[in-house]
Amino acid sequence: MALREKRKLGDLLKENGLITENEILEVLENKRSRQKLGDALVEQSYITEKQLLEVLEVHLKIPSVSLYRFPINDQLIKLIPKEVARENILFPIEQQENILTIAMNDPLDYYAIDDLELLTGFEVKPVIASKDDILQAVNKYYDMEETIEQENDEEAPAVRILDQILQSGVTLKASDIHIDSNESNILIRYRVDGMLRSERTFPKRIQSALIARVKILAELNITETRMPQDGRIRTVIDAKPIDLRISTLPTVFGEKIVIRILDLSNVTNSLAELDLNECTLTQYRELLTRPSGLILLTGPTGSGKTTTLYGSINELNNEDVNIVTIEDPVEYQLDGINQVQVNSNVGLTFATGLRSILRQDPNIIMVGEIRDKETAEIAIRSSLTGHIVLSTLHTNSAIDAIPRLFDMEIEPYLVVSSLSGVMAQRLVKKICKDCQEERDVTPMEKDIFHRRGMDIDTIKIGKGCDSCRGTGYRGRMAIHELLIINDQVKKLMLQQATISEIKQHVMEQGMHFLLDDGLEKVKKGYTTIDEVLRVALED
């Protein structure tokens, strides 16, 4: 076995001036049991994963690798069990004579290295790779090997393959998994940071067994293949409680399945975590503290409206109030909240449910979505009788909610009397912290900022690295605009002013629009101007 100079991670980081002894003690006090120091430092935002890997690479003279671009030898996977690879976050990548090269997230884990040398009989040479890179490789290549080994068994592959698909989805932090039935195979795609990407294909022959497995878990009718079905699965993946929403759709090549992943450990607890700028957060909280009124959240599907709704409800949730929600579906179950699931099969619609809720002595009502005139009318009348009502609408901007309500044939005076405020939002991709760099703005970009009353000389972009798989982005954040329905806006609404006139008025009063909020977040280095212009067009 090779002799190694054993160094402590904390000492290396202190030598590089990245952290102090006191900060290490704080992290150790707050970290989860059995969590490694490096993971805790990154999780608590004392350092980035890139800084951690760079210190290890330079001071230990251990090279780093990108596994998603590395040629993998499938035979090496048989040397190390999947459980060992996942638990210790490592992956075998090369073997020359008696030396086995292992990609590790923590090359200072000498216990794991000693165990591997005993397990394999080789001398272990560690190289460095990011945590996500290793876990994705473990899921992809070990799963592929297990699938090949069990292809002769008709039942086991479907069970095993679905477990692998779900685990990969959680590891990738995907919001949705698409199981597409094609003419010759099954394609698995994951939506990560709002973008779909293909990961793997499976033989067409397992299609029926795989779809049946999903339906059994979701308690759907496995014999019904001609009609769409919806269901849910509650499970635990990587020790985290996960809620899965299942949607099936018949296509010409068989049923397509989309699985929405809801990580129950990530339920937002406060509005402070929702990327609202300070001014918007203050104004929105003021709306929530009013004794009554209708507050609407607008935006397309997948813009984070439900997350903001739950954050708002959490803000209002205490023992003094009765909060009742009606949702389709109930996405997250919250303590202390009475949540009702829409069930059209038995006649429990948003409108009928809302009528019943009003007899339950509520203070605060949340309606998942206003879809029709009946629901809108009941929600508005509820807000006029001393209730705070929160709901969502599908409109492109906050101001567009006004004509949408009028188009539902709601009496204008009712809309004017009930509506307190409308918040529109979109999601934009965040620049990867590990590869961000500054560059000068172009004349065109400078002009866009100048037209919104902002000056800027440099902006940040992500150049692409292992952590973000070369995309330059990692994670998403929201941008917002908040329309407060004050007396002047109410007057314009009653006078049936055009959208342009209302927009001109609120602009003169200093309202920040989606584009303004987005550009401010570009200026702070959170996202890029391309991302903001993708979701918020210039006027």
Side-chain angles (χ1 to χ4, degrees), residues 45-67:
S45 300
Y46 282 92
I47 58 173
T48 66
E49 189 174 22
K50 185 186 180 186
Q51 288 175 320
L52 176 62
L53 298 185
E54 280 177 351
V55 165
L56 295 174
E57 187 175 0
V58 171
H59 285 268
L60 301 180
K61 295 183 172 54
I62 298 175
S64 63
V65 295
S66 304
L67 293 186

PDB file of all heavy atoms in Angstrom, residues 45-67:
ATOM      1  N   SER A  45     -22.621  27.820   2.539  1.00  0.00           N
ATOM      2  CA  SER A  45     -22.169  28.951   1.697  1.00  0.00           C
ATOM      3  C   SER A  45     -20.926  29.661   2.224  1.00  0.00           C
ATOM      4  O   SER A  45     -20.718  30.841   1.956  1.00  0.00           O
ATOM      5  CB  SER A  45     -23.307  29.966   1.506  1.00  0.00           C
ATOM      6  OG  SER A  45     -24.401  29.360   0.884  1.00  0.00           O
ATOM      7  N   TYR A  46     -20.060  28.954   2.962  1.00  0.00           N
ATOM      8  CA  TYR A  46     -18.793  29.555   3.363  1.00  0.00           C
ATOM      9  C   TYR A  46     -17.798  29.539   2.209  1.00  0.00           C
ATOM     10  O   TYR A  46     -16.972  30.436   2.072  1.00  0.00           O
ATOM     11  CB  TYR A  46     -18.208  28.811   4.571  1.00  0.00           C
ATOM     12  CG  TYR A  46     -18.871  29.169   5.885  1.00  0.00           C
ATOM     13  CD1 TYR A  46     -19.940  28.435   6.375  1.00  0.00           C
ATOM     14  CD2 TYR A  46     -18.426  30.263   6.629  1.00  0.00           C
ATOM     15  CE1 TYR A  46     -20.563  28.773   7.572  1.00  0.00           C
ATOM     16  CE2 TYR A  46     -19.036  30.609   7.833  1.00  0.00           C
ATOM     17  CZ  TYR A  46     -20.107  29.855   8.294  1.00  0.00           C
ATOM     18  OH  TYR A  46     -20.712  30.204   9.476  1.00  0.00           O
ATOM     19  N   ILE A  47     -17.861  28.482   1.399  1.00  0.00           N
ATOM     20  CA  ILE A  47     -17.020  28.365   0.206  1.00  0.00           C
ATOM     21  C   ILE A  47     -17.861  27.731  -0.901  1.00  0.00           C
ATOM     22  O   ILE A  47     -18.916  27.154  -0.644  1.00  0.00           O
ATOM     23  CB  ILE A  47     -15.762  27.494   0.459  1.00  0.00           C
ATOM     24  CG1 ILE A  47     -16.166  26.081   0.936  1.00  0.00           C
ATOM     25  CG2 ILE A  47     -14.809  28.147   1.440  1.00  0.00           C
ATOM     26  CD1 ILE A  47     -15.007  25.110   1.036  1.00  0.00           C
ATOM     27  N   THR A  48     -17.384  27.835  -2.153  1.00  0.00           N
ATOM     28  CA  THR A  48     -18.049  27.141  -3.251  1.00  0.00           C
ATOM     29  C   THR A  48     -17.368  25.792  -3.466  1.00  0.00           C
ATOM     30  O   THR A  48     -16.221  25.585  -3.009  1.00  0.00           O
ATOM     31  CB  THR A  48     -17.963  27.947  -4.571  1.00  0.00           C
ATOM     32  OG1 THR A  48     -16.586  28.003  -4.993  1.00  0.00           O
ATOM     33  CG2 THR A  48     -18.507  29.360  -4.399  1.00  0.00           C
ATOM     34  N   GLU A  49     -18.043  24.900  -4.157  1.00  0.00           N
ATOM     35  CA  GLU A  49     -17.436  23.589  -4.422  1.00  0.00           C
ATOM     36  C   GLU A  49     -16.182  23.748  -5.272  1.00  0.00           C
ATOM     37  O   GLU A  49     -15.199  23.031  -5.098  1.00  0.00           O
ATOM     38  CB  GLU A  49     -18.441  22.667  -5.123  1.00  0.00           C
ATOM     39  CG  GLU A  49     -17.921  21.237  -5.216  1.00  0.00           C
ATOM     40  CD  GLU A  49     -18.935  20.253  -5.777  1.00  0.00           C
ATOM     41  OE1 GLU A  49     -19.873  20.693  -6.468  1.00  0.00           O
ATOM     42  OE2 GLU A  49     -18.773  19.050  -5.535  1.00  0.00           O
ATOM     43  N   LYS A  50     -16.200  24.740  -6.172  1.00  0.00           N
ATOM     44  CA  LYS A  50     -15.028  24.964  -7.022  1.00  0.00           C
ATOM     45  C   LYS A  50     -13.807  25.356  -6.176  1.00  0.00           C
ATOM     46  O   LYS A  50     -12.703  24.857  -6.392  1.00  0.00           O
ATOM     47  CB  LYS A  50     -15.328  26.063  -8.046  1.00  0.00           C
ATOM     48  CG  LYS A  50     -14.192  26.276  -9.037  1.00  0.00           C
ATOM     49  CD  LYS A  50     -14.475  27.460  -9.942  1.00  0.00           C
ATOM     50  CE  LYS A  50     -13.326  27.666 -10.926  1.00  0.00           C
ATOM     51  NZ  LYS A  50     -13.489  28.885 -11.718  1.00  0.00           N
ATOM     52  N   GLN A  51     -14.016  26.272  -5.191  1.00  0.00           N
ATOM     53  CA  GLN A  51     -12.911  26.663  -4.311  1.00  0.00           C
ATOM     54  C   GLN A  51     -12.364  25.467  -3.544  1.00  0.00           C
ATOM     55  O   GLN A  51     -11.149  25.304  -3.403  1.00  0.00           O
ATOM     56  CB  GLN A  51     -13.398  27.728  -3.320  1.00  0.00           C
ATOM     57  CG  GLN A  51     -13.643  29.095  -3.937  1.00  0.00           C
ATOM     58  CD  GLN A  51     -14.246  30.061  -2.943  1.00  0.00           C
ATOM     59  OE1 GLN A  51     -15.112  29.690  -2.142  1.00  0.00           O
ATOM     60  NE2 GLN A  51     -13.789  31.314  -2.964  1.00  0.00           N
ATOM     61  N   LEU A  52     -13.272  24.621  -3.084  1.00  0.00           N
ATOM     62  CA  LEU A  52     -12.866  23.431  -2.333  1.00  0.00           C
ATOM     63  C   LEU A  52     -12.002  22.509  -3.196  1.00  0.00           C
ATOM     64  O   LEU A  52     -10.917  22.073  -2.785  1.00  0.00           O
ATOM     65  CB  LEU A  52     -14.116  22.689  -1.853  1.00  0.00           C
ATOM     66  CG  LEU A  52     -13.919  21.360  -1.126  1.00  0.00           C
ATOM     67  CD1 LEU A  52     -13.124  21.553   0.152  1.00  0.00           C
ATOM     68  CD2 LEU A  52     -15.269  20.715  -0.825  1.00  0.00           C
ATOM     69  N   LEU A  53     -12.483  22.243  -4.431  1.00  0.00           N
ATOM     70  CA  LEU A  53     -11.748  21.333  -5.317  1.00  0.00           C
ATOM     71  C   LEU A  53     -10.411  21.927  -5.754  1.00  0.00           C
ATOM     72  O   LEU A  53      -9.424  21.209  -5.901  1.00  0.00           O
ATOM     73  CB  LEU A  53     -12.607  20.978  -6.529  1.00  0.00           C
ATOM     74  CG  LEU A  53     -13.935  20.247  -6.251  1.00  0.00           C
ATOM     75  CD1 LEU A  53     -14.616  19.851  -7.547  1.00  0.00           C
ATOM     76  CD2 LEU A  53     -13.718  19.017  -5.377  1.00  0.00           C
ATOM     77  N   GLU A  54     -10.377  23.250  -5.956  1.00  0.00           N
ATOM     78  CA  GLU A  54      -9.126  23.893  -6.391  1.00  0.00           C
ATOM     79  C   GLU A  54      -8.047  23.800  -5.310  1.00  0.00           C
ATOM     80  O   GLU A  54      -6.882  23.557  -5.604  1.00  0.00           O
ATOM     81  CB  GLU A  54      -9.381  25.363  -6.748  1.00  0.00           C
ATOM     82  CG  GLU A  54      -9.981  25.540  -8.129  1.00  0.00           C
ATOM     83  CD  GLU A  54     -10.307  26.999  -8.438  1.00  0.00           C
ATOM     84  OE1 GLU A  54     -10.217  27.847  -7.513  1.00  0.00           O
ATOM     85  OE2 GLU A  54     -10.663  27.280  -9.597  1.00  0.00           O
ATOM     86  N   VAL A  55      -8.456  23.988  -4.038  1.00  0.00           N
ATOM     87  CA  VAL A  55      -7.496  23.881  -2.932  1.00  0.00           C
ATOM     88  C   VAL A  55      -6.928  22.469  -2.869  1.00  0.00           C
ATOM     89  O   VAL A  55      -5.709  22.265  -2.731  1.00  0.00           O
ATOM     90  CB  VAL A  55      -8.168  24.250  -1.584  1.00  0.00           C
ATOM     91  CG1 VAL A  55      -7.318  23.808  -0.408  1.00  0.00           C
ATOM     92  CG2 VAL A  55      -8.395  25.751  -1.515  1.00  0.00           C
ATOM     93  N   LEU A  56      -7.802  21.470  -2.991  1.00  0.00           N
ATOM     94  CA  LEU A  56      -7.347  20.077  -2.944  1.00  0.00           C
ATOM     95  C   LEU A  56      -6.423  19.765  -4.127  1.00  0.00           C
ATOM     96  O   LEU A  56      -5.402  19.094  -3.979  1.00  0.00           O
ATOM     97  CB  LEU A  56      -8.560  19.140  -2.957  1.00  0.00           C
ATOM     98  CG  LEU A  56      -9.474  19.217  -1.731  1.00  0.00           C
ATOM     99  CD1 LEU A  56     -10.714  18.357  -1.939  1.00  0.00           C
ATOM    100  CD2 LEU A  56      -8.740  18.795  -0.461  1.00  0.00           C
ATOM    101  N   GLU A  57      -6.794  20.293  -5.301  1.00  0.00           N
ATOM    102  CA  GLU A  57      -6.011  20.018  -6.518  1.00  0.00           C
ATOM    103  C   GLU A  57      -4.609  20.615  -6.418  1.00  0.00           C
ATOM    104  O   GLU A  57      -3.611  19.959  -6.712  1.00  0.00           O
ATOM    105  CB  GLU A  57      -6.753  20.596  -7.729  1.00  0.00           C
ATOM    106  CG  GLU A  57      -6.120  20.232  -9.060  1.00  0.00           C
ATOM    107  CD  GLU A  57      -6.952  20.721 -10.245  1.00  0.00           C
ATOM    108  OE1 GLU A  57      -8.006  21.342 -10.018  1.00  0.00           O
ATOM    109  OE2 GLU A  57      -6.534  20.481 -11.385  1.00  0.00           O
ATOM    110  N   VAL A  58      -4.524  21.869  -5.964  1.00  0.00           N
ATOM    111  CA  VAL A  58      -3.238  22.566  -5.929  1.00  0.00           C
ATOM    112  C   VAL A  58      -2.337  22.039  -4.806  1.00  0.00           C
ATOM    113  O   VAL A  58      -1.172  21.712  -5.024  1.00  0.00           O
ATOM    114  CB  VAL A  58      -3.454  24.092  -5.762  1.00  0.00           C
ATOM    115  CG1 VAL A  58      -2.137  24.807  -5.511  1.00  0.00           C
ATOM    116  CG2 VAL A  58      -4.139  24.649  -7.002  1.00  0.00           C
ATOM    117  N   HIS A  59      -2.905  21.907  -3.601  1.00  0.00           N
ATOM    118  CA  HIS A  59      -2.060  21.582  -2.446  1.00  0.00           C
ATOM    119  C   HIS A  59      -1.758  20.096  -2.321  1.00  0.00           C
ATOM    120  O   HIS A  59      -0.729  19.720  -1.761  1.00  0.00           O
ATOM    121  CB  HIS A  59      -2.704  22.108  -1.167  1.00  0.00           C
ATOM    122  CG  HIS A  59      -2.563  23.588  -1.033  1.00  0.00           C
ATOM    123  ND1 HIS A  59      -1.528  24.178  -0.376  1.00  0.00           N
ATOM    124  CD2 HIS A  59      -3.312  24.596  -1.539  1.00  0.00           C
ATOM    125  CE1 HIS A  59      -1.642  25.502  -0.458  1.00  0.00           C
ATOM    126  NE2 HIS A  59      -2.729  25.779  -1.149  1.00  0.00           N
ATOM    127  N   LEU A  60      -2.646  19.255  -2.809  1.00  0.00           N
ATOM    128  CA  LEU A  60      -2.371  17.820  -2.745  1.00  0.00           C
ATOM    129  C   LEU A  60      -1.789  17.300  -4.055  1.00  0.00           C
ATOM    130  O   LEU A  60      -1.458  16.132  -4.178  1.00  0.00           O
ATOM    131  CB  LEU A  60      -3.657  17.054  -2.408  1.00  0.00           C
ATOM    132  CG  LEU A  60      -4.339  17.427  -1.089  1.00  0.00           C
ATOM    133  CD1 LEU A  60      -5.598  16.597  -0.899  1.00  0.00           C
ATOM    134  CD2 LEU A  60      -3.402  17.237   0.087  1.00  0.00           C
ATOM    135  N   LYS A  61      -1.711  18.238  -5.039  1.00  0.00           N
ATOM    136  CA  LYS A  61      -1.218  17.889  -6.380  1.00  0.00           C
ATOM    137  C   LYS A  61      -1.983  16.691  -6.955  1.00  0.00           C
ATOM    138  O   LYS A  61      -1.414  15.757  -7.527  1.00  0.00           O
ATOM    139  CB  LYS A  61       0.283  17.601  -6.340  1.00  0.00           C
ATOM    140  CG  LYS A  61       1.099  18.840  -5.963  1.00  0.00           C
ATOM    141  CD  LYS A  61       2.585  18.575  -5.984  1.00  0.00           C
ATOM    142  CE  LYS A  61       3.385  19.852  -5.812  1.00  0.00           C
ATOM    143  NZ  LYS A  61       3.057  20.661  -4.645  1.00  0.00           N
ATOM    144  N   ILE A  62      -3.306  16.744  -6.750  1.00  0.00           N
ATOM    145  CA  ILE A  62      -4.197  15.702  -7.277  1.00  0.00           C
ATOM    146  C   ILE A  62      -4.991  16.305  -8.436  1.00  0.00           C
ATOM    147  O   ILE A  62      -5.660  17.326  -8.250  1.00  0.00           O
ATOM    148  CB  ILE A  62      -5.164  15.190  -6.189  1.00  0.00           C
ATOM    149  CG1 ILE A  62      -4.376  14.552  -5.038  1.00  0.00           C
ATOM    150  CG2 ILE A  62      -6.159  14.196  -6.765  1.00  0.00           C
ATOM    151  CD1 ILE A  62      -5.242  14.122  -3.873  1.00  0.00           C
ATOM    152  N   PRO A  63      -4.929  15.738  -9.641  1.00  0.00           N
ATOM    153  CA  PRO A  63      -5.643  16.331 -10.775  1.00  0.00           C
ATOM    154  C   PRO A  63      -7.162  16.183 -10.639  1.00  0.00           C
ATOM    155  O   PRO A  63      -7.656  15.300  -9.928  1.00  0.00           O
ATOM    156  CB  PRO A  63      -5.134  15.523 -11.972  1.00  0.00           C
ATOM    157  CG  PRO A  63      -4.668  14.232 -11.391  1.00  0.00           C
ATOM    158  CD  PRO A  63      -4.180  14.539 -10.011  1.00  0.00           C
ATOM    159  N   SER A  64      -7.902  17.072 -11.315  1.00  0.00           N
ATOM    160  CA  SER A  64      -9.367  16.962 -11.348  1.00  0.00           C
ATOM    161  C   SER A  64      -9.801  16.468 -12.722  1.00  0.00           C
ATOM    162  O   SER A  64      -9.097  16.669 -13.720  1.00  0.00           O
ATOM    163  CB  SER A  64     -10.019  18.310 -11.045  1.00  0.00           C
ATOM    164  OG  SER A  64      -9.695  19.260 -12.030  1.00  0.00           O
ATOM    165  N   VAL A  65     -10.966  15.812 -12.777  1.00  0.00           N
ATOM    166  CA  VAL A  65     -11.482  15.267 -14.041  1.00  0.00           C
ATOM    167  C   VAL A  65     -12.959  15.642 -14.211  1.00  0.00           C
ATOM    168  O   VAL A  65     -13.653  15.936 -13.238  1.00  0.00           O
ATOM    169  CB  VAL A  65     -11.362  13.723 -14.099  1.00  0.00           C
ATOM    170  CG1 VAL A  65      -9.912  13.287 -14.106  1.00  0.00           C
ATOM    171  CG2 VAL A  65     -12.118  13.069 -12.960  1.00  0.00           C
ATOM    172  N   SER A  66     -13.411  15.642 -15.466  1.00  0.00           N
ATOM    173  CA  SER A  66     -14.830  15.832 -15.788  1.00  0.00           C
ATOM    174  C   SER A  66     -15.391  14.491 -16.229  1.00  0.00           C
ATOM    175  O   SER A  66     -15.092  14.023 -17.335  1.00  0.00           O
ATOM    176  CB  SER A  66     -14.993  16.849 -16.920  1.00  0.00           C
ATOM    177  OG  SER A  66     -14.378  18.060 -16.584  1.00  0.00           O
ATOM    178  N   LEU A  67     -16.175  13.847 -15.378  1.00  0.00           N
ATOM    179  CA  LEU A  67     -16.648  12.499 -15.682  1.00  0.00           C
ATOM    180  C   LEU A  67     -17.612  12.465 -16.856  1.00  0.00           C
ATOM    181  O   LEU A  67     -17.667  11.487 -17.585  1.00  0.00           O
ATOM    182  CB  LEU A  67     -17.318  11.874 -14.455  1.00  0.00           C
ATOM    183  CG  LEU A  67     -16.399  11.576 -13.264  1.00  0.00           C
ATOM    184  CD1 LEU A  67     -17.154  10.838 -12.194  1.00  0.00           C
ATOM    185  CD2 LEU A  67     -15.201  10.751 -13.701  1.00  0.00           C
TER     186      LEU A  67
END
